[in-house]
């Protein structure tokens, strides 16, 4: 969706409304949804400006209304907040931070006993697709999702925007996320030093040496402290140059490069 929106936005700016509509029609996208995302993006940008985290150019506000140029400014890749916007691993980690605890996991990423699942599971149950659990029960990726036909997930974890129940429990607007994202932005972490396992919120499970798990726990605490300070004192400026933030970004980028 991020790629589609960026392409749509570029066509809208450079070729106009009709060209953007043709693009949506060609790829079975909704123009109204694209405009909704655009409006939400502008709204989010103004909210960040209201609390002092970014500074909007004054000439982009006319008569109390945000200029159409504001969206172009927010899309400017030279802006500090867009430096890593083209790295999917960073974007997905941020999505995880925003949507958690809306997370589901395959059997490789859960504490089976916590969910009442036998240790010897039958494995995939629906047309060869892996079984997913949300911490309480089995769930399924909605057929309309681009991820619904995947036989193998890159990582055993996904986040979702919406959960609906009909004959089954379906997840909409899903994104596959990495173990590092869960370790950094997940819930309460418990480290089992002897077994080399980490549990998140008592039902998500990852394999990680204790030393690595402790490192992530400390990184998480430090990041929370940095963000709290930034919210209290937004005049401190961007966190992009913070050493801890750079270390987290480096870890996420390196994880994306490693063999799956």
């Amino acid at each position: 969706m991020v790629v589609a929106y960026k392409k749509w936005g570029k066509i809208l700016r450079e070729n106009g409304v009709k060209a953007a509509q043709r693009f949506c029609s060609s790829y079975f996208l909704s123009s109204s949804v694209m405009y909704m995302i655009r409006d939400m993006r502008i709204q989010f940008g103004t909210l960040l400006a209201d609390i002092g985290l970014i500074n909007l150019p004054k000439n982009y506000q006319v008569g109390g209304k945000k200029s159409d140029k504001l969206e172009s400014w927010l899309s400017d890749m030279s802006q500090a907040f867009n430096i890593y916007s083209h790295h999917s691993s960073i974007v997905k980690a941020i999505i995880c931070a925003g949507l958690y605890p809306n997370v589901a996991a395959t059997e490789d990423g859960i504490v089976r006993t916590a969910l009442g699942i036998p240790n010897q599971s039958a494995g995939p149950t629906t047309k060869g697709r892996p079984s997913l659990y949300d911490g309480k029960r089995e769930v399924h990726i909605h057929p309309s999702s681009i991820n619904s036909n995947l036989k193998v997930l890159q990582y055993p974890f996904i986040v979702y925007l919406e959960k609906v129940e009909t004959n089954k429990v379906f997840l909409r607007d899903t994104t596959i996320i990495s173990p590092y994202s869960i370790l950094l932005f997940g819930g309460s972490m418990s480290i089992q030093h002897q077994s080399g396992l980490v549990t998140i919120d008592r039902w998500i499970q990852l394999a990680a040496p204790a030393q690595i798990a402790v490192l992530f726990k400390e990184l998480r605490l430090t990041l929370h402290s940095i963000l709290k300070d930034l919210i209290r004192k937004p005049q401190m400026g961007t966190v992009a140059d913070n050493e801890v933030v750079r270390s987290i970004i480096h870890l996420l980028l390196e994880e994306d490069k490693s063999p799956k």
Side-chain angles (χ1 to χ4, degrees), residues 208-250:
Q211 186 176 8
I212 299 298
V214 170
L215 170 63
F216 272 93
K217 194 170 186 177
E218 292 300 318
L219 281 173
R220 182 195 289 197
L221 292 172
T222 305
L223 179 61
H224 286 179
S225 177
I226 292 169
L227 293 176
K228 285 180 181 178
D229 288 343
L230 184 63
I231 291 171
R232 283 197 297 264
K233 301 177 182 178
Q235 64 273 18
M236 290 172 55
T238 179
V239 298
D241 295 327
N242 183 278
E243 185 175 348
V244 172
V245 174
R246 287 205 307 268
S247 297
I248 290 173
I249 290 170
H250 176 75

Side-chain angles (χ1 to χ4, degrees), residues 73-85:
W73 182 81
L74 291 170
S75 300
D76 184 354
M77 298 304 293
S78 67
Q79 299 294 340
F81 48 75
N82 279 333
I83 293 175
Y84 297 101
S85 64

Side-chain angles (χ1 to χ4, degrees), residues 173-221:
D173 303 316
T174 60
T175 299
I176 299 169
I177 55 170
S178 72
Y180 283 7
S181 298
I182 289 283
L183 287 171
L184 286 167
F185 303 114
S188 176
M189 181 188 297
S190 175
I191 302 171
Q192 301 171 35
H193 292 260
Q194 297 300 321
S195 61
L197 296 173
V198 179
T199 57
I200 307 292
D201 286 340
R202 297 191 292 182
W203 72 274
I204 298 171
Q205 182 170 275
L206 307 92
Q211 186 176 8
I212 299 298
V214 170
L215 170 63
F216 272 93
K217 194 170 186 177
E218 292 300 318
L219 281 173
R220 182 195 289 197
L221 292 172

Side-chain angles (χ1 to χ4, degrees), residues 19-67:
Q21 289 175 340
R22 287 195 297 270
F23 170 77
C24 288
S25 298
S26 298
Y27 292 96
F28 305 100
L29 299 170
S30 169
S31 289
S32 60
V33 170
M34 293 294 109
Y35 280 106
M36 180 184 70
I37 294 173
R38 182 174 182 264
D39 292 341
M40 291 175 67
R41 177 188 177 94
I42 293 173
Q43 183 182 26
F44 182 59
T46 55
L47 287 173
L48 291 177
D50 288 343
I51 61 177
L53 294 183
I54 64 174
N55 296 312
L56 297 182
K58 293 181 180 179
N59 61 332
Y60 285 176
Q61 291 185 256
V62 181
K65 295 182 179 180
K66 307 299 182 290
S67 167

Side-chain angles (χ1 to χ4, degrees), residues 118-173:
N119 285 330
Q120 297 298 325
S121 174
T125 60
T126 307
K127 296 182 180 180
R129 302 182 192 115
S131 299
L132 288 166
Y133 301 87
D134 66 353
K136 297 179 181 178
R137 55 191 169 179
E138 186 174 3
V139 294
H140 306 269
I141 298 176
H142 195 274
S144 64
S145 171
I146 195 171
N147 292 322
S148 64
N149 292 321
L150 293 178
K151 305 296 184 183
V152 178
L153 302 184
Q154 180 184 11
Y155 299 112
F157 310 106
I158 66 170
V159 288
Y160 58 90
L161 179 62
E162 184 182 16
K163 185 189 298 181
V164 295
E165 184 170 2
T166 53
N167 59 322
K168 297 178 181 178
V169 179
F170 289 105
L171 309 179
R172 290 181 178 271
D173 303 316

